[in-house]
């Protein structure tokens, strides 16, 4: 399982001082084992059962732009409680440790910790990939960010359709997507998913 502990970083990114409401809204359409919840202050907890879901949470958190993220990978106690705030197990501790590390990182506040020590090297590898992806997202202008977000929400849309949705010209969308590094970023997503899956020892249970 994947446990994500997220903490607001006032004064950073596009959102207001407390980014949790924006985060919970951004995650509301995902089918998670338990709904994401605020824990204390500008902090939230998210549980996912698949690497693809964990990556999607990380991408949406990066788009909000003012969150430190700790990702713990491993087992949680079963059966799952009704509230994500009540989950327990080694993956929760790993996520808390990862968040402490992430808070000390100024540019891309993200860290990954595996419960199984044998997979710490892989966790470091995926952390490097995810930090690079996060840096690309943080470096985008508002126009680039809006174009990529629209494309992520509807991957099959044409540039003309995206332009109409955003109220800009097709040429503007084309330039924004090309200069955003989206193609390069999205090419790294399968690698991140593969690495995360390798260290999730509970995925087959």
């Amino acid at each position: 399982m994947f446990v994500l502990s997220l903490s607001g970083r006032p004064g950073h990114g596009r959102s207001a001082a407390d980014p949790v409401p924006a985060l919970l809204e951004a995650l509301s359409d995902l089918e998670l084992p338990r709904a994401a919840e605020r824990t204390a202050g500008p902090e939230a907890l998210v549980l996912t059962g698949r690497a693809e879901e964990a990556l999607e949470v990380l991408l949406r958190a990066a788009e909000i732009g003012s969150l430190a993220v700790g990702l713990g990978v491993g087992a949680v106690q079963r059966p799952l409680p009704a509230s994500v705030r009540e989950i327990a197990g080694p993956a929760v501790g790993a996520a808390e440790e990862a968040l402490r590390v992430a808070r000390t990182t100024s540019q891309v506040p993200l860290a990954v910790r595996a419960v199984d020590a044998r997979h710490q090297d892989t966790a470091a590898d995926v952390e490097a990939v995810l930090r690079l992806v996060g840096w690309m997202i943080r470096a985008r202008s508002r126009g680039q960010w809006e174009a990529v977000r629209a494309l992520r929400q509807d991957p099959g849309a044409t540039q003309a359709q995206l332009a109409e949705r955003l109220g800009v010209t097709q040429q503007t969308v084309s330039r924004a997507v090309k200069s955003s590094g989206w193609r390069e970023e999205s090419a790294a997503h399968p690698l991140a998913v593969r690495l995360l899956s390798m260290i999730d020892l509970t995925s087959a249970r």
Side-chain angles (χ1 to χ4, degrees), residues 96-171:
E96 293 171 352
E97 178 188 348
L99 180 59
R100 286 193 292 271
V101 174
R103 284 180 172 139
T104 68
T105 305
S106 59
Q107 292 300 313
V108 183
L110 182 151
V112 180
R113 290 294 180 271
V115 169
D116 191 326
R118 294 172 298 177
H119 295 284
Q120 289 298 354
D121 287 346
T122 307
D125 290 343
V126 73
E127 178 181 286
V129 173
L130 292 172
R131 283 186 175 180
L132 180 59
V133 167
W135 181 85
M136 295 178 72
I137 293 173
R138 286 172 58 89
R140 285 177 185 140
S141 68
R142 182 76 185 189
Q144 292 169 341
W145 175 72
E146 289 178 343
V148 169
R149 188 179 186 186
L151 184 58
R152 286 201 338 105
Q153 290 174 341
D154 188 1
T158 65
Q159 290 187 351
Q161 291 170 328
L162 294 177
E164 182 177 359
R165 191 171 306 159
L166 295 172
V168 297
T169 66
Q170 184 175 341
Q171 290 76 13

